Amino acid sequence: MRHETVIDLIAQPLRDEPEVRALFLSGSHANGMADAFSDVDFVLVAQEGASDAIARIWRKAVARTGKIVLWWDRTTVPVLINAITEDWTRTDVVILRPDQMGAHTQAGLKPVFDHDGIYDTLNEKPAETGPDTRKLKHQIEEFIRVLGLLHLAVGREEYINGVLGIYHLRNLLVDLLIEETGAPHRGGVLHLNRLITGPQKALMFSMPPPVPTRAAMIDAHVAYAAAYLPRARRLALAWGVAWPEEFEAATWAKLEESLGVTRPYQPE
């Protein structure tokens, strides 16, 4: 079913519900970056917020778009309901009271209907906050920590669990590449193609696969370290984030002592 039809079918009965004061599109349908594979994200404003009564009203509206085969009702987040219908249309709604809308901006929403003019009271766009230096510092330290666990995984011959470490290093490298591009609209986890550059994609394609053997696990950890750490150092320098020199040095010393692995790059 076309997303425009899904939006109309859901919105029609909600317009006449006295408790429902507004319905907005958010996510990719609000910022104009939606495609045929996007989910449909809503923000619903109800006088009493995410009550059981509003949840029932919402389910009835979503059911107009097809048979519901998955329904997560305020499980992961107290105000969030996720649904998937039989044709795999995905709809998410965040249900808020009018006084909880202050965190949203006009740039992140597109009105479907708005009985009380809530949209006009919102800030136009988020305030400029600059780079998240605390997040970058934590991610760098986390990369080094996971890298250091290699000696433990090899020592115990935990090659299956060691593969999980490679996936973790991969995710941290992806996060770093996204930070490098400074993409303004991150979107969901399945939008990586539009967030990183061609050379960055080539780097990711060149990385070794996770294979649960001793040699392959060591090689993959070293390859990810060679790809991540020099780039992270440059970004940390640009953002004014102090590099954890002692932690990195201790980690390489442990890996050399236990596995004969040496640092695969020279700090600039």
Side-chain angles (χ1 to χ4, degrees):
M1 185 178 295
R2 288 174 56 85
H3 290 168
E4 293 82 359
T5 304
V6 169
I7 294 165
D8 288 342
L9 286 172
I10 289 175
Q12 285 172 10
L14 297 178
R15 294 177 189 272
D16 298 325
E17 290 287 345
E19 278 292 309
V20 179
R21 306 313 305 156
L23 183 67
F24 302 99
L25 293 170
S26 61
S28 58
H29 281 278
N31 62 34
M33 302 186 74
D35 60 22
F37 303 99
S38 299
D39 58 0
V40 187
D41 296 308
F42 294 92
V43 175
L44 184 151
V45 184
Q47 204 65 46
E48 299 301 323
S51 65
D52 290 345
I54 290 295
R56 287 192 294 270
I57 289 171
W58 179 253
R59 178 165 186 141
K60 186 175 180 180
V62 173
R64 289 166 50 86
T65 69
K67 182 180 180 181
I68 297 170
V69 294
L70 176 70
W71 183 258
W72 285 350
D73 188 343
R74 296 163 289 172
T75 53
T76 56
V77 179
V79 296
L80 174 66
I81 296 177
N82 311 98
I84 299 177
T85 53
E86 199 168 28
D87 68 352
W88 250 84
T89 297
R90 296 165 292 130
T91 59
D92 297 340
V93 64
V94 171
I95 304 171
L96 302 174
R97 299 188 309 270
D99 63 349
Q100 295 175 315
M101 287 295 292
H104 287 274
T105 63
Q106 293 179 357
L109 298 175
K110 181 179 179 181
V112 180
F113 63 85
D114 182 8
H115 297 316
D116 303 325
I118 295 171
Y119 184 81
D120 294 334
T121 69
L122 303 177
N123 292 329
E124 183 178 347
K125 59 183 180 179
E128 296 290 338
T129 58
D132 191 339
T133 56
R134 292 182 62 183
K135 178 182 175 183
L136 179 63
K137 181 176 185 293
H138 173 77
Q139 289 182 330
I140 292 168
E141 292 174 342
E142 176 66 355
F143 187 98
I144 296 171
R145 186 187 72 85
V146 174
L147 177 65
L149 291 174
L150 174 63
H151 85 278
L152 184 153
V154 172
R156 291 177 175 171
E157 299 185 356
E158 286 281 358
Y159 302 134
I160 295 174
N161 281 335
V163 165
L164 298 180
I166 297 169
Y167 284 117
H168 196 22
L169 296 181
R170 176 193 178 279
N171 291 337
L172 288 167
L173 177 56
V174 168
D175 287 341
L176 179 68
L177 298 180
I178 294 172
E179 292 294 354
E180 287 181 346
T181 65
H185 297 295
R186 297 290 178 92
V189 295
L190 298 181
H191 273 301
L192 183 60
N193 277 335
R194 74 183 186 202
L195 299 181
I196 63 176
T197 66
Q200 289 174 327
K201 292 176 188 177
L203 171 66
M204 292 307 304
F205 281 123
S206 73
M207 300 307 294
V211 178
T213 66
R214 184 184 192 278
M217 190 173 69
I218 293 173
D219 289 346
H221 277 70
V222 173
Y224 273 97
Y228 181 94
L229 292 171
R231 303 179 82 112
R233 275 184 175 270
R234 290 192 291 270
L235 190 61
L237 180 63
W239 286 12
V241 175
W243 189 262
E245 297 286 0
E246 291 185 350
F247 185 30
E248 187 191 0
T251 299
W252 287 118
K254 186 65 179 179
L255 293 178
E256 184 171 11
E257 172 199 351
S258 58
L259 303 175
V261 171
T262 59
R263 181 161 56 181
Y265 79 103
Q266 289 299 320
E268 297 176 1

